[in-house]
């Protein structure tokens, strides 16, 4: 290529402008493709606070909601010329939302992150489907939405739950891998083989200043220039030289060819001094056709450059081809006529068709209320939009939050679906990547005690005759059978008929004395829920019970976890008590009996075998 300065004889120089792109002179290369990871900001946590004011003894919950996380938004602008920024920074994260506060104060929303890209950029997701085509200045699209904030405890107050001590955590923002591709927006694309003088033509027709020299080399980066004509401005794009095999990627051909997809017309630039210029033309047109058949149907013209050289002048004298222009970027010969022809070509050219987005076959979206339970070697996996959202919306470290979580699982029918799939107590259940252990009622407290106290075996001993009431609704033999059905062969548990066989009123101290005789070398533990343990001082000979066994106190929903003072007030020695603060399901015997008497379904709170036994024997139907 050779330097050129257009000054047609007898004419004034046209007013020309350029939009130059980064080149080696800027210390970096033009970048037209980049891959980034975007993530919306995390939503703020809801607040679990209570109103505290003088003369307001029961102010109630007043926790505010967390703020929404900021989104990642892409915006097209003419102030950016390529995608080189994204080679240096590949991670873009929205700001997290602020946490809620007392007084029903909502947390501040996180600020959006605006990612500026050149006009003509398209955004594709990981599957290659189109997210956004930013074809004009100011065009925007949300790439990753911020997560919503968690609700404060004021939302969970009800007639039966006056002081909810839990709130929701915020949701995580969307995270996506995005491919940004830049397709230059120009009216005319200058295409041709290497060293045909395309950059020199652009330099002469516009005020763009691509690199040119008096020795052979090829441009490595596309370049834009703007020319003023009688009919208006025309944007020309210099596309680096195409060689044979460019459509298959040879010589970075695919990267360059895509920049002409948005042009209205093509100008094939040939070296007039070449030995076989028409063969060069066929090679270039073949590569364009293989890249996109639609491109070959675009309006076009052919220009043979370097007419100032003798071989090109001889070619002009003998050619009879129509629509071929001869010009010299060095001397300016033929350039006014060429620019006029280009303007006329652009004026009559239709708008280029918008490329159809890549078709991606997606699986049908599962309905939001659909619940799927899958059995795997490691346990059970529960899927469903509602239940997965429940997990992400629950603070599992909060006792109150976990109790609400258990209640919601029952209401959604998750436990019933698990039992229908064959779940057994102790099986692992995974929901939204969080693992739980399946358990029901009193077995849940027993399993919690096994982990907290390191127990080897648990004896379930149905009471023969409870000391606090004259007779149980179900007789001793029936309760013994229900315990056996509940453990269903689980070797961790064993059902003992010790109190049933002994007869009379069943006292814990008597039972422990007999167990000490049966197991003289074993260390005995007595498992109690805190709702029962808080009445320990009223039991018969509590000191003897404490001497015979170590008491394991398991937290129960609604009763909290006791401290040392509470244990002493209940008649327990804190030094001989093992506390197990693990939350267990909010299932009580009295509530179950009441539900059965009222004809309510209890399959989500009882093993199926026990539920069937109760129904078969019509137990608790007249419970008061």
């Amino acid at each position: 290529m050779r330097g050129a300065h257009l000054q047609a004889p007898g004419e004034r120089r046209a007013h020309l402008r350029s939009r130059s792109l980064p080149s080696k002179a800027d210390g970096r290369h033009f970048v037209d493709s980049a891959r980034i990871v975007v993530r919306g900001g995390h939503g703020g946590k809801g607040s679990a606070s209570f109103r505290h004011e003088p003369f307001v003894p029961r102010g109630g919950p007043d926790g505010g909601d967390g703020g929404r996380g900021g989104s990642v938004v892409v915006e097209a602008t003419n102030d950016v010329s390529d995608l080189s920024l994204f080679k240096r920074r590949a991670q873009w994260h929205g700001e997290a939302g602020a946490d809620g506060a007392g007084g029903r104060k909502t947390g501040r929303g996180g600020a959006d992150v605006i990612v500026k890209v050149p006009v003509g950029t398209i955004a594709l997701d990981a599957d290659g489907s189109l997210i956004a085509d930013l074809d004009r200045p100011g065009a925007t699209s949300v790439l990753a939405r911020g997560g919503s904030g968690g609700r404060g405890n004021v939302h969970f107050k009800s007639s039966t739950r006056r002081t909810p001590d839990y709130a929701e955590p915020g949701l995580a923002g969307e995270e996506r891998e995005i491919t940004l591709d830049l397709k230059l927006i120009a009216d005319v694309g200058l295409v041709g083989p290497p060293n045909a003088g395309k950059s020199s033509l652009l330099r002469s027709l516009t005020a763009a200043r691509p690199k040119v020299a008096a020795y052979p080399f090829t441009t490595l980066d596309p370049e834009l220039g703007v020319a003023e004509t009688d009919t208006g401005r025309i944007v020309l794009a210099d596309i680096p030289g195409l060689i044979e095999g460019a459509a298959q990627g040879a010589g970075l051909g695919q990267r360059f060819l895509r920049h002409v997809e948005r042009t209205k017309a093509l100008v094939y630039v040939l070296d007039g001094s070449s030995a076989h210029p028409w063969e060069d033309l066929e090679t270039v047109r073949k590569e364009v056709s293989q890249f996109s058949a639609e491109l070959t149907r675009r309006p076009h013209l052919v220009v043979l450059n370097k007419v100032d050289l003798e071989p090109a002048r001889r070619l002009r004298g003998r050619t009879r081809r129509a629509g071929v222009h001869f010009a010299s970027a060095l001397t300016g010969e033929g350039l006014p006529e060429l620019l006029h022809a280009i303007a006329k070509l652009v004026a009559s050219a239709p708008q280029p068709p918008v490329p159809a987005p890549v078709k991606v076959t997606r699986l049908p979206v599962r309905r939001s209320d659909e619940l799927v339970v899958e059995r795997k070697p490691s346990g059970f996996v529960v899927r469903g939009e509602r239940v997965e959202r429940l997990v992400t919306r629950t603070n599992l470290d909060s006792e109150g939050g976990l109790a609400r979580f258990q209640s919601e699982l029952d209401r959604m029918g998750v436990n019933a679906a698990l039992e229908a799939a064959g779940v057994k107590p102790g099986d692992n259940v995974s929901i939204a990547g969080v693992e739980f252990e399946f358990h029901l009622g009193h077995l849940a407290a027993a399993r919690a005690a096994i982990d907290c106290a390191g127990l080897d075996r648990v004896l379930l001993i149905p009471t023969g005759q409870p000391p606090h009431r004259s007779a149980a609704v179900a007789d001793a033999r029936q309760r013994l059978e229900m315990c056996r059905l509940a453990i269903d062969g689980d070797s961790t548990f064993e059902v003992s008929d010790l109190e049933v066989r002994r007869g009379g009123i069943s006292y814990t101290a008597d039972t422990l004395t007999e167990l000490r005789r049966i197991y003289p070398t074993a260390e005995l533990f007595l498992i109690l829920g805190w709702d029962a343990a808080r009445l320990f001082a009223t039991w018969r000979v509590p000191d003897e019970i404490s001497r015979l066994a170590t008491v394991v106190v398991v937290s129960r929903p609604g009763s909290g976890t006791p401290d040392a003072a509470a244990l002493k007030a209940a008649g327990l020695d804190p030094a001989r008590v093992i506390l197990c603060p693990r939350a267990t399901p909010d299932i009580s015997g009295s509530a179950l009996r009441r539900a059965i008497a009222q004809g309510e379904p209890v399959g989500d709170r009882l093993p199926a075998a026990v539920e069937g036994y109760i129904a078969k024997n019509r137990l608790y139907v007249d419970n008061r």
Side-chain angles (χ1 to χ4, degrees):
M1 296 183 181
R2 294 159 299 157
H5 183 79
L6 173 60
Q7 183 71 54
E11 294 188 9
R12 292 189 303 168
R13 179 176 176 84
H15 176 64
L16 306 173
R17 299 193 304 170
S18 72
R19 186 173 77 188
S20 60
L21 299 175
S23 62
K24 289 184 179 179
D26 303 310
R28 57 187 172 92
H29 290 291
F30 175 76
V31 176
D32 55 7
S33 184
R35 183 170 295 174
I36 61 174
V37 175
V38 294
R39 185 175 68 211
H42 203 292
K45 295 184 295 185
S47 171
S49 68
F50 294 88
R51 181 182 174 193
H52 296 287
E53 293 182 25
F55 314 111
V56 184
R58 294 183 178 88
D62 69 346
D65 300 342
R68 173 175 284 277
S71 300
V72 180
V73 181
V74 63
E75 179 183 355
T77 176
N78 286 327
D79 297 333
V80 181
S81 55
D82 76 340
L83 302 175
S84 56
L85 170 63
F86 305 104
K87 291 295 185 181
R88 303 190 298 274
R89 178 181 174 185
Q91 302 278 341
W92 297 81
H93 300 161
E95 183 185 15
D99 296 341
R104 302 196 179 194
K105 296 176 182 176
T106 300
R108 180 181 62 83
D112 293 341
V113 171
I114 307 299
V115 179
K116 294 186 179 294
V117 297
V119 175
T121 299
I122 62 173
L124 307 172
D125 65 12
D127 296 325
S129 58
L130 183 67
I131 299 174
D133 187 352
L134 306 163
D135 58 354
R136 66 186 186 281
T140 62
S141 179
V142 178
L143 297 181
R145 298 187 182 279
S148 58
R151 293 180 295 175
N153 64 342
V154 70
H155 293 278
F156 304 107
K157 180 181 178 181
S158 67
S159 59
T160 58
R161 191 188 295 115
R162 301 294 184 89
T163 56
D165 60 349
Y166 54 87
E168 290 179 339
L171 293 181
E174 293 179 335
E175 184 169 0
R176 308 170 80 177
E177 185 178 273
I178 303 294
T179 298
L180 299 175
D181 280 336
L182 173 59
K183 295 183 178 182
L184 298 179
I185 297 180
D187 298 308
V188 177
L190 304 179
V191 295
N195 300 306
K198 298 182 297 299
S199 297
S200 297
L201 269 180
L202 184 71
R203 189 181 181 97
S204 299
L205 293 173
T206 74
R209 289 296 175 263
K211 178 182 176 180
V212 296
Y215 53 85
F217 77 98
T218 187
T219 303
L220 293 179
D221 300 320
E223 187 84 21
L224 289 182
V226 180
E228 298 282 357
T229 69
D230 295 338
T231 57
R233 295 174 181 172
I234 298 177
V235 180
L236 292 89
D238 170 20
I239 308 302
L242 302 179
I243 62 175
E244 188 171 359
Q248 285 73 43
L252 301 179
Q254 288 182 335
R255 174 191 162 197
F256 297 149
L257 278 168
R258 70 181 181 189
H259 290 295
V260 299
E261 282 188 307
R262 297 177 186 265
T263 59
K264 293 181 179 180
L266 301 180
V267 173
Y268 293 101
V269 181
L270 306 175
D271 183 354
S273 64
S274 170
H276 306 287
W278 307 124
E279 292 181 9
D280 294 341
L281 175 62
E282 291 306 314
T283 298
V284 171
R285 296 195 65 174
K286 178 182 176 183
E287 296 305 323
V288 171
S289 175
Q290 289 180 353
F291 178 78
S292 170
E294 193 279 328
L295 276 177
T296 60
R297 295 190 289 271
R298 300 268 175 97
H300 65 274
L301 57 82
V302 178
V303 56
L304 272 76
N305 191 21
K306 306 182 184 179
V307 75
D308 54 290
L309 299 179
E310 184 60 30
R313 288 198 295 268
R314 289 199 302 268
L315 179 63
R316 180 173 58 178
R318 66 175 182 266
T319 186
R320 296 295 182 266
R321 292 189 177 224
V324 176
H325 296 262
F326 289 83
S328 171
L330 178 64
T331 65
E333 181 181 352
L335 291 186
E337 295 82 0
L338 174 62
L339 188 57
H340 177 75
I342 292 174
K344 185 177 179 181
L345 186 70
V346 171
S348 61
Q351 287 291 334
V354 178
V358 177
K359 293 188 66 176
V360 177
T361 302
R362 299 184 185 276
L363 295 176
V365 178
R366 185 174 62 245
R367 290 174 51 197
S368 61
D369 59 347
E370 184 180 354
L371 190 65
V372 178
V373 177
E374 183 180 359
R375 186 167 193 165
K376 293 190 173 183
S378 59
F380 292 80
V381 178
V382 179
R383 295 188 180 90
E385 184 177 329
R386 290 178 60 204
V387 68
E388 291 173 6
R389 185 177 179 87
L390 175 65
V391 172
T392 58
R393 280 293 201 183
T394 301
N395 180 6
L396 298 174
D397 295 328
S398 162
E399 182 178 331
L402 190 56
R404 173 179 173 267
F405 175 71
Q406 294 284 0
S407 176
E408 288 295 309
L409 288 183
D410 291 342
R411 188 176 63 82
M412 292 180 182
V414 175
N415 288 334
L418 283 167
E419 288 192 22
V423 72
K424 302 294 183 186
D427 286 346
N428 286 332
V429 177
S430 175
I431 308 175
V434 181
E435 288 199 351
F436 303 90
E437 185 176 300
F438 184 80
H439 45 223
L440 289 168
H442 294 91
L443 292 184
R447 290 188 181 280
I450 289 173
D451 292 339
C452 293
L455 307 182
D456 298 318
R457 189 162 52 124
V458 173
L459 291 179
L460 299 179
I461 307 177
T463 303
Q465 181 180 334
H468 54 280
R469 58 186 178 196
S470 57
V473 176
D475 63 39
R477 295 294 173 183
Q478 289 172 328
R479 286 183 280 111
L480 190 66
E481 182 60 24
M482 284 189 284
C483 283
R484 287 171 176 155
L485 291 172
I487 65 173
D488 192 24
D490 190 334
S491 60
T492 307
F493 298 97
E494 180 181 333
V495 178
S496 171
D497 61 354
L498 190 152
E499 291 192 357
V500 174
R501 285 188 290 102
R502 189 173 65 223
I505 297 177
S506 300
Y507 290 109
T508 301
D510 296 340
T511 301
L512 289 174
T513 300
E514 190 166 351
L515 288 174
R516 172 59 63 204
R517 180 182 59 79
I518 298 172
Y519 306 103
T521 61
E523 185 179 2
L524 300 181
F525 295 82
L526 175 63
I527 302 172
L528 298 174
W530 174 233
D531 51 348
R534 67 197 330 163
L535 302 175
F536 184 76
T538 66
W539 290 17
R540 181 170 174 265
V541 291
D543 292 341
E544 180 67 10
I545 295 174
S546 297
R547 186 187 66 81
L548 291 169
T550 300
V551 178
V552 181
V553 177
V554 181
S555 297
R556 294 285 293 147
S559 60
T561 301
D563 55 15
L567 291 173
K568 288 181 180 179
L572 291 163
D573 181 3
R576 286 188 52 80
V577 170
I578 296 176
L579 275 178
C580 189
R582 184 177 303 179
T584 56
D586 189 7
I587 301 175
S588 69
S590 58
L592 278 172
R593 291 191 293 270
R594 187 164 52 251
I596 294 170
Q598 295 173 355
E600 299 176 4
V602 293
D604 55 353
R605 288 171 280 179
L606 284 175
V610 176
E611 182 190 18
Y613 184 87
I614 291 173
K616 179 180 178 181
N617 292 275
R618 295 187 56 78
L619 300 177
Y620 311 119
V621 292
D622 296 324
N623 184 63
R624 296 290 184 269

